[in-house]
Amino acid sequence: MRAVLVVWLFAATIGDADWSDTYWRSVLLEGDTPPEVEWYDVEWPTVAPFVPLDGPLLHVGVGTSTWPRATSNLDMIHTDLSDLPLSRLRAAQPSVRTQVEDVTKMSFPSGQFKAVVEKGTLDGVFMGGLRGAEAALAEIHRVLRPGGVLVSVTAYEGQTGPFISLDAWARCVWHDIGNARAGVRVCTKRLSPGEEL
């Protein structure tokens, strides 16, 4: 039931799951949007207990989140498909590290990050189709170190939505965070044969 509501909400809001400059131009430049918006109303302190805070960390799909302010003391790079929200973020917080990235084909080296965090990014990519969601998950898996974790705030509980194929992960655990719209899924990347943490 939760996923159906989110699909309708995203479809009514953007129609074609376009998260590029076109979307952000309509939201940031032409809309009435406040400077910071939290998808699913999930603040960083709710997610932080699931994240190994000793980095390096990657935040994909930052948009207009407050998470960069809350994580300014961490070794974290915040990415988005569009530079519009990132430039707004840099103007407000010049010390925050940002980078334009397409989560389905990132430029980071394999195994660079101890954790990847996201809030609704995979859900949004999934609105454009399963192929994009699978590509995004594959890229997140690629940039994680063995034993690293994906911490995903998502409306999809269980093996649904963008989490259809979880075979590449050692384990994925769903956490109910008391939010009617979303929960947290923590997926751990498998170690390579013979590898130890």
Side-chain angles (χ1 to χ4, degrees):
M1 179 64 114
R2 183 183 300 160
V4 172
L5 172 64
V6 172
V7 170
W8 175 84
L9 175 67
F10 279 119
T13 305
I14 38 178
D16 61 353
D18 178 7
W19 299 99
S20 66
D21 288 345
T22 304
Y23 168 74
W24 285 111
R25 205 171 286 110
S26 70
V27 170
L28 297 176
L29 304 179
E30 301 165 13
D32 238 358
T33 304
E36 296 174 328
V37 175
E38 290 304 344
W39 283 54
Y40 303 131
D41 298 318
V42 177
E43 301 283 339
W44 178 255
T46 303
V47 176
F50 303 107
V51 181
L53 301 178
D54 55 342
L57 310 172
L58 176 64
H59 179 188
V60 296
V62 64
T64 57
S65 174
T66 62
W67 288 13
R69 189 171 6 94
T71 60
S72 61
N73 61 328
L74 300 177
D75 178 12
M76 183 179 284
I77 299 172
H78 303 274
T79 68
D80 203 279
L81 181 60
S82 170
D83 192 49
L84 290 172
L86 296 178
S87 61
R88 190 174 188 171
L89 174 57
R90 286 189 300 272
Q93 296 176 253
S95 64
V96 170
R97 294 168 53 202
T98 65
Q99 191 164 316
V100 173
E101 289 287 342
D102 178 343
V103 70
T104 67
K105 49 184 177 229
M106 294 187 275
S107 65
F108 300 109
S110 297
Q112 181 172 342
F113 299 101
K114 191 167 190 176
V116 175
V117 296
E118 69 88 19
K119 178 178 38 172
T121 300
L122 291 173
D123 293 358
V125 171
F126 181 62
M127 295 301 102
L130 183 56
R131 184 174 296 149
E134 288 174 335
L137 272 171
E139 273 298 277
I140 288 169
H141 188 271
R142 182 186 67 75
V143 302
L144 277 171
R145 295 174 179 173
V149 296
L150 162 62
V151 178
S152 173
V153 177
T154 179
Y156 294 96
E157 187 174 354
Q159 279 189 269
T160 60
F163 295 96
I164 298 294
S165 177
L166 299 175
D167 297 338
W169 303 92
R171 71 179 173 277
C172 285
V173 179
W174 171 263
H175 299 273
D176 186 334
I177 55 172
N179 180 317
R181 296 170 54 197
V184 174
R185 178 183 319 286
V186 179
C187 296
T188 305
K189 183 174 178 175
R190 291 185 192 283
L191 297 175
S192 300
E195 201 168 28
E196 293 182 24
L197 284 177

